[in-house]
Amino acid sequence: QAADSKREQFRQYLEKSGVLDMLTKVLVALYEEPEKPDSALDFLKHHLGASAPENPEIEALRLEVAEMKEKYDAVMEENQKLKTKVKVY
């Protein structure tokens, strides 16, 4: 009976923390997938990983990449304008 009690406590813990609900949602998504993926495990990893809280370092890197893209676009635009001016001269 001690094992049953521990199992029940663990089940309640998983339910309270939202783990059971999340697993159920991902498994339902897999069930409803019209074309089943080759790897169900990869499907689960992808969908569970996508809903995990973001690592602050990853978010900082995303912001840095976005800033670099903006700078790159500005430099490319300036480069194009300079090329046009050079053609005129």
Side-chain angles (χ1 to χ4, degrees):
Q1 285 188 357
D4 287 342
S5 174
K6 285 184 178 181
R7 258 190 229 133
E8 182 59 26
Q9 286 176 346
F10 186 65
R11 187 196 63 73
Q12 288 174 355
Y13 163 73
L14 292 176
E15 189 173 333
K16 189 176 184 178
S17 62
V19 172
L20 291 179
D21 188 45
M22 181 61 65
L23 284 174
T24 301
K25 287 179 183 179
V26 173
L27 290 172
V28 167
L30 177 59
Y31 175 79
E32 292 176 346
E33 192 71 23
E35 292 185 27
K36 303 295 184 239
D38 293 332
S39 172
L41 186 57
D42 286 344
F43 181 92
L44 293 174
K45 286 179 182 178
H46 173 74
H47 283 79
L48 288 173
S51 60
E54 246 338 284
N55 181 337
E57 287 181 28
I58 293 174
E59 186 58 32
L61 289 172
R62 282 194 178 128
L63 289 172
E64 187 176 348
V65 167
E67 289 174 15
M68 293 296 149
K69 284 181 180 177
E70 285 181 28
K71 288 179 182 179
Y72 171 80
D73 290 341
V75 167
M76 291 302 289
E77 185 177 329
E78 181 183 9
N79 186 19
Q80 192 59 42
K81 287 178 183 176
L82 291 172
K83 282 182 180 179
T84 304
K85 283 184 179 180
V86 167
K87 284 182 182 178
V88 169
Y89 295 119

